[in-house]
Amino acid sequence: MTLNKIKNPKVMLINPPFYRFITFSYAYNPMGNRYIAAMLRKHEYETYVYNFDFPETISPKEPDWLPYSENYGEQYKMEMDNLDNPIWKEIEATLGKVKPDILGVTSMTPQMNTGLMVARLMKKINPNCVVVFGGIHPTSVPYETAQYPDIDVVCAGEGELTMLDLVQTLEKGGDLRNVPGLAFFDKAGEYCKTESRTLIADLDSIPYPIRDFPTEAEREFMLHRGSILTSRGCPYSCTFCARKPIWGKSIRYRTAENVVDELDYMHHELGIKNIMFEDDTLALRFKRMQELFALMEQRNININYTIQTKVHVVKPELLELLKKTGCTNIAIGVESGSQYTLDRIKKKITLEQVRTAVRLCKEFDILCNSFFIVGYPWETKEMIQETFDFMKEIDSSVVHLYMLIPLPGTELHVEAQQENRIIAKDWFYYYFQNPNAMKRDHFSNEWLYDKYLEMKEYIHRSRRDKIKQRSRSMKFIYNKVKDNIDSPKRLWYMGKRFIKLQISDY
């Protein structure tokens, strides 16, 4: 299929709003768009990146939970569908200001509705704009995604080379059938899925993600806590995880030198002092970790950082290295307090390994974030209580709790479809606070929601008490002042949070 030839194409890459519509202040950095933008700019294409889900105000407090109903979240969706909402007015103004020739939209599953709304607004402003959807959801269901009338092309899988190839092809007026990694309906209405694009073997060949931000608030927040990705992929097969369609099961690594070059730029040029390593399993190769941190020491890169890893690699020798090099926080996926459930979701860990990992983090004075899920279709009330009891037993520094959502691209989604469990008929409702995405065997969704709120209340109370206690230490206060000394606005914000914490429930 050939579209109109675009001379000197201007590209705009956006992350559509979602959390803003459910009143959840969640500041996150969609790195995929920033990597694609870096690749396009390297080839001298004018490219802009906007995160339309960045909150107006950043708050650690979650929104008030809605009362349970079978139509849970419907009022959020009604507000999302209202084009008079100020969020849509702001987005429409930005689209009109940039006037891109090519609009790239990244989308997780619950963002599809808002992504389509952005596409509709874009076509209203410029009917000839080529709208491209990519990310986890479109990659998982390319045929369905390509059917929407305001979507011209789906970019399936890893995006850097596919988007570059697509933009170059559009600039030349070439045939999209020759671009690997695409899905679309041609002008005759026939579905076309081109050959899959091979994953990028040499990650060092990808330019660093761009780090310019359209607003001062976003810039200040994102440069206070930077993100870096040193590898892609995960060798495990957790049945609830939707990342495999993008990156596959093998792990590809950047060289330590390439990673440290980026860290050097982030720390010494941009002034970033706090880093989040976004790798799914950063610590699987201990020798690579040693090499990485030795190079960081040689380059005088003194940062605080957070990692994510599997519990079975959390051992004294790893924690000793992490503590010495500035690690303040380790995030681990626990998922359940039932060994039966862990085995069934192919987590490949044991409860005893979790106990050991959390205990060792405490011994080395490294915060441990644990992540749990409730609402698996086979779970009994007793299994969920086991999870609650286990959560209390390990007593990690911070606990995150979600309800299971059978996301497209996951083994659990396939099972849920085969067993006729899916309730949610709209992608908007596939978010982790919605109890009604699917049917369960042993309890009602209302019971699940009530139990979830009981567990969340315990988590918030426990977290509040721990933060309150930790915040009163001189070491904590000193580190917070040191980390924020270059930003009077952040110091003021931290000061207000400290006072509020001491005199209120949060």
Side-chain angles (χ1 to χ4, degrees):
M1 181 177 74
T2 302
L3 297 177
N4 292 334
K5 186 175 180 179
I6 304 173
K7 184 178 180 181
N8 299 321
K10 182 193 296 186
V11 182
M12 183 179 185
L13 305 173
I14 70 100
N15 180 55
F18 175 75
Y19 288 104
R20 290 172 72 186
F21 281 111
I22 65 171
T23 67
F24 187 19
S25 175
Y26 181 32
Y28 63 104
N29 183 17
M31 294 185 70
N33 278 351
R34 299 192 172 279
Y35 270 111
I36 293 170
M39 182 66 77
L40 294 176
R41 287 185 185 180
K42 179 181 177 181
H43 289 80
E44 300 184 348
Y45 289 107
E46 185 180 357
T47 307
Y48 301 86
V49 174
Y50 284 84
N51 178 9
F52 288 138
D53 209 19
F54 194 82
E56 290 86 352
T57 57
I58 298 170
S59 168
K61 190 176 186 302
E62 293 190 19
D64 294 331
W65 296 99
L66 299 173
Y68 175 81
S69 76
E70 292 184 359
N71 299 315
Y72 185 88
E74 188 175 48
Q75 52 266 64
Y76 292 145
K77 188 174 185 302
M78 289 175 61
E79 198 57 41
M80 183 204 75
D81 290 338
N82 176 17
L83 281 174
D84 289 327
N85 187 293
I87 294 174
W88 290 125
K89 295 299 183 183
E90 165 209 321
I91 291 172
E92 186 173 14
T94 304
L95 295 172
K97 174 182 159 187
V98 178
K99 291 187 174 68
D101 302 296
I102 301 169
L103 177 70
V105 180
T106 187
S107 180
M108 295 183 289
T109 297
Q111 290 176 297
M112 272 303 295
N113 293 61
T114 51
L116 289 168
M117 194 79 83
V118 175
R120 191 182 312 164
L121 291 172
M122 187 70 258
K123 290 292 189 178
K124 173 184 168 186
I125 293 167
N126 176 11
N128 294 319
C129 179
V130 177
V131 175
V132 185
F133 268 56
I136 290 176
H137 183 88
T139 295
S140 300
V141 286
Y143 177 82
E144 186 213 79
T145 305
Q147 291 184 79
Y148 291 105
D150 292 317
I151 297 176
D152 297 298
V153 185
V154 172
C155 173
E158 217 164 32
E160 291 89 350
L161 294 181
T162 302
M163 276 298 290
L164 174 62
D165 198 351
L166 172 61
V167 172
Q168 291 174 332
T169 300
L170 290 170
E171 186 177 32
K172 297 171 185 174
D175 191 339
L176 299 188
R177 291 181 179 85
N178 298 324
V179 180
L182 298 184
F184 53 85
F185 282 85
D186 64 20
K187 293 178 180 178
E190 295 294 321
Y191 178 66
C192 177
K193 191 173 188 301
T194 65
E195 65 176 305
S196 298
R197 185 175 292 274
T198 303
L199 293 172
I200 300 169
D202 180 13
L203 296 185
D204 287 5
S205 67
I206 304 173
Y208 307 147
I210 67 163
R211 291 187 171 89
D212 50 74
F213 302 94
T215 68
E216 185 57 35
E218 189 176 354
R219 173 181 171 79
E220 181 172 355
F221 185 87
M222 290 303 174
L223 294 188
H224 175 75
R225 177 190 174 276
S227 297
I228 190 168
L229 195 61
T230 82
S231 64
R232 296 184 180 185
C234 176
Y236 300 99
S237 301
C238 300
T239 62
F240 59 86
C241 181
R243 290 202 183 198
K244 279 182 288 185
I246 292 276
W247 286 344
K249 282 190 63 176
S250 61
I251 306 182
R252 292 161 292 146
Y253 293 96
R254 295 167 60 185
T255 62
E257 291 81 3
N258 181 260
V259 173
V260 173
D261 282 346
E262 184 178 356
L263 285 169
D264 194 323
Y265 168 73
M266 293 172 70
H267 183 55
H268 292 127
E269 297 296 323
L270 299 179
I272 299 175
K273 301 173 184 176
N274 302 284
I275 302 289
M276 173 67 189
F277 286 92
E278 299 280 0
D279 308 52
D280 290 326
T281 50
L282 180 71
L284 281 185
R285 289 188 177 180
F286 183 62
K287 288 186 177 179
R288 180 174 182 262
M289 299 283 286
Q290 289 176 308
E291 181 184 5
L292 181 66
F293 292 118
L295 285 173
M296 288 170 59
E297 186 176 10
Q298 291 175 19
R299 303 275 280 273
N300 195 31
I301 301 173
N302 300 310
I303 57 172
N304 295 323
Y305 64 89
T306 297
I307 73 164
Q308 306 173 116
T309 197
K310 295 278 283 189
V311 295
H312 73 277
V313 302
V314 180
K315 299 176 180 178
E317 56 268 27
L318 172 67
L319 294 177
E320 184 177 358
L321 173 66
L322 296 179
K323 183 67 177 178
K324 185 176 77 170
T325 53
C327 181
T328 59
N329 203 320
I330 295 177
I332 57 171
V334 182
E335 321 310 355
S336 177
S338 161
Q339 189 62 54
Y340 172 81
T341 293
L342 291 179
D343 294 341
R344 188 154 176 180
I345 63 175
K346 303 178 183 179
K347 186 65 182 176
K348 302 292 186 185
I349 64 171
T350 67
L351 296 177
E352 193 55 42
Q353 287 173 329
V354 175
R355 291 185 180 99
T356 300
V358 176
R359 174 179 57 80
L360 287 172
C361 285
K362 292 176 182 178
E363 289 179 6
F364 281 85
D365 193 25
I366 297 175
L367 298 178
C368 180
N369 280 24
S370 59
F371 290 76
F372 289 86
I373 299 172
V374 291
Y376 298 98
W378 57 82
E379 267 188 318
T380 63
K381 293 179 179 181
E382 291 74 22
M383 287 178 182
I384 290 187
Q385 188 60 45
E386 285 177 9
T387 294
F388 198 5
D389 292 341
F390 188 68
M391 181 190 298
K392 295 175 182 178
E393 176 196 336
I394 62 173
D395 191 33
S396 64
S397 311
V398 180
V399 179
H400 302 269
L401 178 67
Y402 304 97
M403 281 179 278
L404 178 74
I405 301 296
L407 295 169
T410 68
E411 192 174 321
L412 270 172
H413 185 263
V414 174
E415 291 177 4
Q417 284 184 313
Q418 292 172 345
E419 296 167 2
N420 197 29
R421 294 184 180 278
I422 303 293
I423 298 173
K425 303 301 183 186
D426 193 295
W427 295 127
F428 174 83
Y429 295 107
Y430 279 68
Y431 65 99
F432 298 115
Q433 291 82 18
N434 178 23
N436 294 324
M438 64 187 297
K439 293 179 284 189
R440 279 86 180 179
D441 286 338
H442 301 291
F443 44 76
S444 69
N445 287 336
E446 183 173 7
W447 182 91
L448 172 64
Y449 187 65
D450 289 343
K451 189 65 176 180
Y452 176 76
L453 292 185
E454 177 190 346
M455 296 170 76
K456 291 288 280 189
E457 174 58 30
Y458 166 80
I459 290 167
H460 289 317
R461 187 171 64 250
S462 175
R463 183 184 184 192
R464 181 193 65 223
D465 293 344
K466 287 173 183 175
I467 293 175
K468 185 177 291 190
Q469 182 179 4
R470 194 165 67 243
S471 69
R472 291 170 178 169
S473 77
M474 291 307 298
K475 179 181 177 182
F476 178 90
I477 295 171
Y478 170 78
N479 286 334
K480 286 297 181 184
V481 171
K482 183 182 71 172
D483 290 346
N484 295 280
I485 194 68
D486 56 345
S487 173
K489 185 185 293 186
R490 285 198 64 81
L491 276 177
W492 175 247
Y493 170 72
M494 297 300 297
K496 288 195 297 182
R497 276 191 63 189
F498 174 80
I499 294 171
K500 185 176 180 180
L501 179 64
Q502 306 308 316
I503 64 176
S504 69
D505 285 343
Y506 200 93

